[in-house]
Amino acid sequence: MFRLQGSKVLAVDMTGDAVKAKNGSMVAYDGQMAFKKLSGGGEGIRGMVTRRITGEQMTLMEVKGQGTCWFADRASEINLVSLQGDKLFVESSNLLATDSGLRTGTSFTGLRGASQGNGLFTTTIEGHGQAAIMSDGPAVVLRVSSQYPLTVDPGAYIAHQGNLRQSFQSGVTFRTFLGEGGGEAFQIRFEGDGVVYVQPSERNSIAGDV
């Protein structure tokens, strides 16, 4: 159902089924398609309340029909993630599309969200199916194991999945070495068993200047 055309365009072949995608990300389609704007973020009343409190912005549309629809967003690189009943945690700004059967929601992230100025929650996706996430430059998938924990700059973090625990620690970043940082810098430490997706470009955030 999901396939990449190059690294920056997602093609979704549909036979009467539907896909949820970032609002405004459709660039072309053939066949017969119907578009409907969704409330986004989490589903149901809890999701609406969470978004109102935290400012987690995620406007989605549902595309349903027969044919092929192509999606892209600001020439971002696109990465396909297959879920087999597990859960994916992803920054809302990095989510492009999901199978309609996957459930979306919100999850408390604590200090990481606060340090980025993105609210205290991040988007969750769970079930069986595929999701397409975006990155500024080709994403790197890093393995975390019990023997090898991973520390990530909050501005480079995109998503993670698996049985991982997050903690937050102060540290030195490259920007601090270059004299561009001011104040305390925070990093995310992942422990457990899973994978973390990072991008080779830091999003605009205040993570390095908290």
Side-chain angles (χ1 to χ4, degrees):
M1 185 176 178
F2 282 22
R3 55 187 171 88
L4 294 181
Q5 289 200 205
S7 62
K8 300 180 180 180
V9 177
L10 171 70
V12 182
D13 301 313
M14 288 180 275
T15 56
D17 42 359
V19 63
K20 291 183 288 188
K22 183 176 182 179
N23 196 40
S25 63
M26 187 276 295
V27 294
Y29 71 90
D30 61 23
Q32 299 294 321
M33 298 289 171
F35 300 85
K36 180 174 69 174
K37 186 176 180 179
L38 302 175
S39 60
E43 296 172 343
I45 294 177
R46 180 182 176 187
M48 294 172 62
V49 172
T50 297
R51 290 192 303 281
R52 180 166 295 182
I53 292 174
T54 66
E56 171 78 353
Q57 297 297 319
M58 180 181 159
T59 306
L60 295 174
M61 62 179 177
E62 181 184 70
V63 184
K64 185 176 184 179
Q66 300 266 355
T68 301
C69 197
W70 289 269
F71 301 92
D73 186 60
R74 301 180 183 180
S76 298
E77 299 281 338
I78 301 172
N79 314 271
L80 298 184
V81 180
S82 295
L83 297 178
Q84 304 296 328
D86 51 331
K87 182 182 292 187
L88 174 72
F89 298 80
V90 59
E91 293 297 301
S92 61
S93 59
N94 293 98
L95 178 61
L96 178 63
T98 72
D99 284 347
S100 61
L102 291 174
R103 301 181 300 279
T104 57
T106 50
S107 177
F108 182 73
T109 60
L111 181 60
R112 178 177 59 76
S115 68
Q116 289 185 29
N118 290 340
L120 295 177
F121 287 75
T122 195
T123 299
T124 60
I125 306 166
E126 59 185 319
H128 290 81
Q130 284 187 299
I133 60 177
M134 299 179 293
S135 58
D136 185 3
V140 178
V141 183
L142 302 175
R143 165 63 63 179
V144 181
S145 68
S146 58
Q147 291 182 312
Y148 296 99
L150 181 70
T151 302
V152 177
D153 188 300
Y157 168 85
I158 302 173
H160 73 272
Q161 65 186 127
N163 185 21
L164 293 177
R165 302 180 302 279
Q166 293 184 60
S167 60
F168 306 93
Q169 60 188 26
S170 59
V172 178
T173 68
F174 287 114
R175 283 178 296 173
T176 305
F177 280 122
L178 295 172
E180 298 175 359
E184 193 75 10
F186 284 89
Q187 299 167 337
I188 319 168
R189 181 180 174 88
F190 291 94
E191 297 177 276
D193 183 31
V195 294
V196 178
Y197 299 81
V198 298
Q199 62 185 5
S201 174
E202 292 186 355
R203 68 175 63 83
N204 292 328
S205 74
I206 59 172
D209 301 301
V210 174

